[in-house]
Amino acid sequence: LNIFRDPRWGRGMETYGEDPFLTGKMGISFINGLQGDDPNYFKLIATAKHFIVHSGPESSRHSFDTKVSDYDFYNTYLPHFKATIEQANVQSVMCAYNRYDGEPCCGSGFILNDLLREKLGFKGYVVSDCWALVDFYDGHNVSKGPVEASALALKSGTDLNCGAVYPNLLEAMEKGLVVEEDVNIAVKRLFKARFQLGMFDPDELNPYAQIKMDVVNSEKHQKGALEMARKSMVLLKNENNTLPLSKNLKSIAVIGPNSFDEEVLLGNYNGLPLNAITPLAGIQQKVGNKTVVNYARGCDVAPNLPFLSPIPSKFLFTNEELLEQGLKAEFFDTTTFDRDPVYTRIDKNIDFNWWDKAPVSQVPDDNFGIRWTGYLVPDKTGNYEIGADGSQYFDISINGEKLVEHEVPHEYRKSYEKIKLIAGKKYAIEVNYVNRERTALMHLLWAQPSGNLEEEAISLAKKSDAIVMFMGLSPRLEGEEMKVEVEGFEGGDRLTLGLPETQIHLMKELKKLNKPLVLVLLNGSAVSIPWEKENIPAILEAWYPGQAAGSAIADILFGDYNPSGRLPLTFYNSVQDLPPFDDYSMQGRTYRYFKGEPLFEFGYGLSYTNFNYSNLNLSSNSIDKKQASTISIEVANTGNFNGEEVVQLYVKYPSSSIPRPIKELKGFKRIALNVGESKKVEFEINSELLSHLTPEGSITEPGIYTLLLGSSSNDLNLNGIKIEVEE
């Protein structure tokens, strides 16, 4: 639920954007879906995070002290948390790593007790961010060690510790730092959640216990993934109706590092889909055999960020004589390799997703190990990157020397290292993999020395009728505490906002071919693309769109779905438009306070059709605390495609006695209109909608307010009318 206040923040992809109202509405819907609507049981406990005033930089989050004005605190960083507590009954809140006004968020009685529980009425439990309590004595330096940290967190209102500090509560109790009642308060909150989940009741009483595993990846949910991907994509530019593309093209060039990479579809903290559809696969499926699809990667996403793929079996051998292809696989029914294997076989390569099942019947579903041994024989001399994408733990040794060791208990992440290999030489390889719980997967990967990727792409593009470029970023670059050495990125955050230079250079070369040119962006945050906006006829923002990504993109590119997504954040021209990253004041940030000219504004998004707004009307030109008004407008589809429009309501505060945002979102509705159809769209205007929050509560000032209805936050697209709030 954190506000994406600065596009440099690597974890911004996990948020709902830069606006508190939008974030609150999205959070409410998400929480209601997670917790369910049964009167007696929760489907699960949803956790709203990270409470509070938390949005990077990643590099200093364990020691940073955020300081903001009361107005920013209560009107930017708090409203969406307030909304999910009051309107979605969220049952868990995670406190953040950082300090707020000198106190660590997980050790602040003001934040967790006075504000969260007393003022907002939160009735659930608080969980710390993982290992956040260690920061008390190793980062924030507000306690001497883990004993004092455990006492401070518990007495401040943190009920559950994600980490290993709370075992020190025993010593804290012996020293008199906490008493039994402090522990009982937290225990009661946690057991209440377990009771509400039905953990102690017979399954037949709990409707959620009847949900079968076959709903996972069911046809209904596959359709849902496709619908979400389609609706979230934003058409940024479509000069001379470049899109939709004709399905009768004889050939099309699909170019770019994000064309054929499942990882870039999924963002981070993701599940693993059974069948993720890449953009390349989506286009191939869409055009079938009628159109030749020429594919070239063209470049890597960024320098020093190679594209890794499974090592083919033709390079792997079980013995030094190279008589049998593949690797010897030994399976162990423990997580150690200190006993004989229970099963042995030959695997052609290491490219497995076992999900939550055992790889062979001789080992358990959890707590098993696999060792692969054999020889790797490359066919090219040069510098390789060798590694793996695996869950939990793996290591790779070449000629007896450990090259890669990886251990992350709750994520799937590529880990790899550079090594020079000589063509035809035999390299002894050993790969160890351990799974302790949950999903099991292991893919042995490499990046071979490549030729001139750009030359290959240009050659293919020259003999194609149209070019679709898949560029952007990668969850290997932006995310939580990422450890990559790539210029322009630091610890998962971004230092600049443009695309990596490798991509820009390739796009400029392709532009010279004077072919129909489309850019599809896959990224988790706003990018600065002024050259692209000026020079590329059509641009589609696809984000990290999930398992149905390729199908959704192809549906839009070829006109089977009319794009209708809107930007949930501002696209700036340059990082120079922004205040310092670690400045948490909202001045100069987001559409609510940015006074410059954005590249693309908040709420922006094009369609293949045209919508006309008319007949703006207020049912009453004045309201008070008891009386509301209704604002309405007619929206007509005047173009040639059926489509959806997102009607947006903004408010301005011309007579406010205190500085307030330039404008801010207060409502939105998505409507579907066939060609020639029109609809009346209405919003209720009441005093609470126009209020602002203070430490004492909600206040609505009497005076004049300007209401704006339209298709984005840009005043040129908005129809305005004034309303008066009376005493």
Side-chain angles (χ1 to χ4, degrees), residues 122-170:
F122 175 66
K123 302 299 183 186
Y125 67 85
V126 171
V127 57
S128 74
D129 206 341
C130 294
W131 308 103
L133 304 194
V134 174
D135 296 341
F136 287 16
Y137 54 89
D138 187 14
H140 299 310
N141 301 318
V142 297
S143 57
K144 294 178 181 177
V147 175
E148 293 80 5
S150 68
L152 176 59
L154 186 72
K155 292 178 77 69
S156 298
T158 299
D159 304 300
L160 183 62
N161 172 211
C162 180
V165 169
Y166 268 10
N168 292 281
L169 283 170
L170 291 171

Side-chain angles (χ1 to χ4, degrees), residues 306-612:
F307 177 78
L308 294 109
S309 59
I311 300 179
S313 58
K314 66 180 181 179
F315 299 110
L316 300 171
F317 298 88
T318 62
N319 49 48
E320 196 170 359
E321 295 77 27
L322 312 184
L323 297 176
E324 185 173 10
Q325 286 191 320
L327 297 174
K328 179 183 177 182
E330 298 173 299
F331 295 82
F332 298 80
D333 58 4
T334 70
T335 58
T336 59
F337 300 93
D338 56 357
R339 63 178 72 174
D340 292 336
V342 296
Y343 182 72
T344 302
R345 73 182 186 195
I346 303 300
D347 286 334
K348 291 299 182 184
N349 56 10
I350 306 174
D351 191 16
F352 298 107
N353 278 10
W354 299 290
W355 308 107
D356 58 342
K357 303 299 181 186
V360 295
S361 60
Q362 290 84 353
V363 303
D365 291 345
D366 295 319
N367 293 307
F368 64 84
I370 310 173
R371 171 171 288 155
W372 290 275
T373 54
Y375 292 86
L376 171 66
V377 184
D379 65 345
K380 300 176 186 175
T381 296
N383 292 317
Y384 288 71
E385 273 94 4
I386 293 182
D389 181 11
S391 56
Q392 325 253 329
Y393 176 86
F394 60 81
D395 64 54
I396 303 168
S397 296
I398 303 290
N399 284 346
E401 293 188 12
K402 191 172 287 184
L403 180 69
V404 174
E405 185 171 25
H406 167 99
E407 184 164 19
V408 179
H410 59 281
E411 286 186 74
Y412 324 110
R413 190 177 288 178
K414 289 183 173 70
S415 186
Y416 55 92
E417 292 290 342
K418 285 184 178 179
I419 184 171
K420 184 172 183 179
L421 301 178
I422 298 171
K425 184 176 178 179
K426 292 175 286 192
Y427 294 88
I429 185 169
E430 177 179 303
V431 180
N432 295 305
Y433 170 74
V434 170
N435 173 268
R436 297 185 178 91
E437 59 183 347
R438 301 193 300 271
T439 298
L441 63 97
M442 184 63 183
H443 307 277
L444 181 63
L445 307 172
W446 71 356
Q448 301 181 71
S450 55
N452 192 317
L453 296 175
E454 188 174 284
E455 241 176 52
E456 178 193 4
I458 292 169
S459 175
L460 285 174
K462 284 179 178 177
K463 57 185 182 183
S464 303
D465 295 332
I467 306 167
V468 182
M469 305 178 295
F470 290 92
M471 305 293 184
L473 302 175
S474 165
R476 291 163 63 196
L477 287 172
E478 52 177 349
E480 183 178 12
E481 292 191 309
M482 306 300 291
K483 294 177 174 62
V484 294
E485 295 182 5
V486 174
E487 186 178 355
F489 297 84
E490 183 178 71
D493 293 328
R494 299 160 65 197
L495 304 177
T496 62
L497 300 182
L499 297 179
E501 188 57 39
T502 50
Q503 298 182 43
I504 295 173
H505 188 272
L506 175 59
M507 287 189 286
K508 288 181 176 179
E509 292 302 308
L510 293 171
K511 167 70 176 174
K512 295 175 183 177
L513 301 180
N514 292 317
K515 303 258 185 175
L517 193 61
V518 179
L519 170 61
V520 180
L521 294 166
L522 291 98
N523 45 283
S525 54
V527 287
S528 294
I529 49 168
W531 181 88
E532 294 86 341
K533 180 182 179 182
E534 181 69 25
N535 291 279
I536 296 175
I539 305 174
L540 177 69
E541 175 57 81
W543 314 108
Y544 297 140
Q547 67 184 50
S551 298
I553 290 169
D555 286 345
I556 291 173
L557 293 182
F558 290 93
D560 290 330
Y561 181 81
N562 188 350
S564 57
R566 299 294 185 267
L567 292 181
L569 67 173
T570 302
F571 277 42
Y572 301 93
N573 282 281
S574 166
V575 73
Q576 304 303 322
D577 291 341
L578 291 164
F581 187 10
D582 58 3
D583 178 0
Y584 268 73
S585 166
M586 290 307 297
Q587 293 306 310
R589 297 186 182 282
T590 79
Y591 81 96
R592 295 165 68 230
Y593 293 99
F594 179 60
K595 295 180 180 178
E597 186 70 29
L599 189 69
F600 298 107
E601 70 267 16
F602 176 89
Y604 175 85
L606 301 176
S607 170
Y608 292 154
T609 193
N610 299 308
F611 297 99
N612 182 61

Side-chain angles (χ1 to χ4, degrees), residues 142-390:
V142 297
S143 57
K144 294 178 181 177
V147 175
E148 293 80 5
S150 68
L152 176 59
L154 186 72
K155 292 178 77 69
S156 298
T158 299
D159 304 300
L160 183 62
N161 172 211
C162 180
V165 169
Y166 268 10
N168 292 281
L169 283 170
L170 291 171
E171 187 176 340
M173 188 175 283
E174 291 170 359
K175 291 183 173 180
L177 300 177
V178 297
V179 297
E180 187 173 331
E181 181 56 27
D182 297 323
V183 179
N184 285 344
I185 290 170
V187 169
K188 287 176 182 178
R189 288 171 180 156
L190 295 169
F191 266 92
K192 175 192 169 198
R194 297 181 72 186
F195 291 140
Q196 291 172 315
L197 288 167
M199 287 183 173
F200 305 101
D201 293 348
D203 281 354
E204 56 267 22
L205 294 180
N206 184 351
Y208 299 124
Q210 317 307 317
I211 298 174
K212 307 296 184 186
M213 277 299 293
D214 59 10
V215 305
V216 178
N217 202 41
S218 62
E219 184 178 353
K220 176 184 177 182
H221 293 168
Q222 290 174 17
K223 289 179 178 177
L226 176 61
E227 180 184 13
M228 285 189 286
R230 285 167 162 176
K231 286 188 174 181
S232 68
M233 293 179 187
V234 184
L235 184 61
L236 298 178
K237 184 181 178 184
N238 194 24
E239 187 178 273
N240 299 324
N241 296 320
T242 301
L243 293 175
L245 296 171
S246 169
K247 294 176 184 175
N248 297 319
L249 290 169
K250 291 182 179 179
S251 61
I252 184 170
V254 175
I255 292 172
N258 287 343
S259 305
F260 187 52
D261 184 357
E262 288 188 12
E263 185 178 38
V264 84
L265 312 181
L266 304 176
N268 63 6
Y269 282 102
N270 55 283
L272 290 173
L274 188 64
N275 180 30
I277 302 170
T278 64
L280 175 62
I283 288 175
Q284 288 170 330
Q285 292 170 14
K286 178 67 67 176
V287 300
N289 297 325
K290 298 179 297 182
T291 303
V292 175
V293 179
N294 298 311
Y295 162 67
R297 196 162 89 244
C299 64
D300 289 328
V301 170
N304 207 30
L305 196 79
F307 177 78
L308 294 109
S309 59
I311 300 179
S313 58
K314 66 180 181 179
F315 299 110
L316 300 171
F317 298 88
T318 62
N319 49 48
E320 196 170 359
E321 295 77 27
L322 312 184
L323 297 176
E324 185 173 10
Q325 286 191 320
L327 297 174
K328 179 183 177 182
E330 298 173 299
F331 295 82
F332 298 80
D333 58 4
T334 70
T335 58
T336 59
F337 300 93
D338 56 357
R339 63 178 72 174
D340 292 336
V342 296
Y343 182 72
T344 302
R345 73 182 186 195
I346 303 300
D347 286 334
K348 291 299 182 184
N349 56 10
I350 306 174
D351 191 16
F352 298 107
N353 278 10
W354 299 290
W355 308 107
D356 58 342
K357 303 299 181 186
V360 295
S361 60
Q362 290 84 353
V363 303
D365 291 345
D366 295 319
N367 293 307
F368 64 84
I370 310 173
R371 171 171 288 155
W372 290 275
T373 54
Y375 292 86
L376 171 66
V377 184
D379 65 345
K380 300 176 186 175
T381 296
N383 292 317
Y384 288 71
E385 273 94 4
I386 293 182
D389 181 11

Side-chain angles (χ1 to χ4, degrees), residues 586-659:
M586 290 307 297
Q587 293 306 310
R589 297 186 182 282
T590 79
Y591 81 96
R592 295 165 68 230
Y593 293 99
F594 179 60
K595 295 180 180 178
E597 186 70 29
L599 189 69
F600 298 107
E601 70 267 16
F602 176 89
Y604 175 85
L606 301 176
S607 170
Y608 292 154
T609 193
N610 299 308
F611 297 99
N612 182 61
Y613 286 68
S614 63
N615 298 326
L616 178 66
N617 184 59
L618 267 177
S619 63
S620 173
N621 291 320
S622 64
I623 61 172
D624 56 30
K625 290 183 179 180
K626 296 180 181 179
Q627 178 189 6
S629 180
T630 299
I631 188 171
S632 63
I633 200 163
E634 294 278 345
V635 184
N637 183 344
T638 59
N640 299 318
F641 289 80
N642 298 336
E644 293 182 326
E645 172 75 333
V646 181
V647 183
Q648 301 162 44
L649 168 66
Y650 294 88
V651 176
K652 283 187 171 184
Y653 309 97
S655 64
S656 176
S657 65
I658 60 171

